[in-house]
Amino acid sequence: MAKSWYIIHTYTGYEQKIYRSLKKLLEDGAIDSNIVADVKVPMEEVVEVRNGKKVTKNNLLLPGYVMVEMDLPQIGWKAPCQQIFKIQGVTGFVGTDRSERPRPISPDEAKHLLQAAGEIKGEKSVRVKQNYEIGDQVKIIDGPFATFSGAVEDVDAAKNKLRVNVQIFGRTTPVEVDVLQVEKI
């Protein structure tokens, strides 16, 4: 049997506790390390501008879920699963009942989650938190147009860009800036 990723459903806020509990069970030998290979709590890096400064924080990618890489045997799968179920805060595996053998997520889903969490080398994505709408008044705080103010004319969420109308030499001119270069007034 090959290793696959499984998703454990947990109480929200218990993700790190369950991660630590699983790691401790692996260290103590209560769960066979040949069966449970890895445990991850997928986090994403979010950047936003607050008071003119870039603030970076880590948010849970899947609140209420923990990823576990296992090589779960066809026969004898219940013992390691029972050990996982005994951890306070675990409600079960996603997509199955406690009496059924857990089903893994697809390799594409696992790769997508691990990429978003930055677990695959060189492929970490940083999400920019933006809450700008057309018509919002903003001040440009960085770049060649720093200190200019204007109204948001267009929001391109995919590229994290804004088109802002600013007054340059008495004329209204649209300027394209990155979301991290502005703050709301």
Side-chain angles (χ1 to χ4, degrees):
M1 181 93 197
K3 290 181 186 174
S4 299
W5 285 97
Y6 296 81
I7 305 289
I8 297 174
H9 186 259
T10 69
Y11 296 153
T12 304
Y14 277 63
E15 300 88 359
Q16 292 298 329
K17 178 190 177 297
I18 291 167
Y19 170 82
R20 289 188 303 273
S21 297
L22 279 168
K23 287 293 192 179
K24 180 116 175 75
L25 288 171
L26 283 168
E27 288 173 14
D28 295 346
I31 295 181
D32 187 1
S33 61
N34 293 327
I35 294 175
V36 176
D38 200 2
V39 181
K40 303 247 186 251
V41 178
M43 307 280 271
E44 68 177 336
E45 195 172 291
V46 179
V47 177
E48 68 178 301
V49 176
R50 282 193 204 151
N51 300 325
K53 295 182 181 176
K54 293 180 191 176
V55 178
T56 304
K57 63 180 185 176
N58 289 325
N59 286 348
L60 290 172
L61 199 58
L62 300 170
Y65 298 95
V66 175
M67 293 179 68
V68 179
E69 186 179 27
M70 296 191 295
D71 188 0
L72 204 58
Q74 289 293 331
I75 299 172
W77 61 267
K78 282 189 178 184
C81 290
Q82 288 303 320
Q83 287 295 105
I84 293 171
F85 289 143
K86 287 180 185 177
I87 300 171
Q88 184 182 2
V90 171
T91 59
F93 284 91
V94 170
T96 57
D97 221 6
R98 280 186 177 231
S99 61
E100 299 174 26
R101 185 176 188 279
R103 287 188 291 254
I105 60 174
S106 73
D108 288 339
E109 288 174 316
K111 182 180 178 190
H112 174 72
L113 287 171
L114 293 171
Q115 277 179 336
E119 298 291 339
I120 297 175
K121 299 287 186 236
E123 299 189 31
K124 184 161 187 146
S125 62
V126 176
R127 185 171 64 91
V128 177
K129 183 178 180 183
Q130 56 178 323
N131 48 359
Y132 298 103
E133 296 178 11
I134 296 172
D136 284 349
Q137 291 295 317
V138 295
K139 178 181 177 185
I140 302 173
I141 57 171
D142 190 24
F145 300 102
T147 70
F148 284 92
S149 297
V152 176
E153 179 184 293
D154 186 37
V155 178
D156 187 352
K159 294 181 181 177
N160 292 319
K161 299 282 184 184
L162 300 174
R163 188 166 43 239
V164 180
N165 285 330
V166 296
Q167 290 284 334
I168 301 176
F169 303 120
R171 303 181 84 187
T172 302
T173 308
V175 212
E176 188 172 286
V177 293
D178 193 71
V179 198
L180 296 174
Q181 292 178 309
V182 299
E183 70 177 5
K184 278 189 178 180
I185 297 177

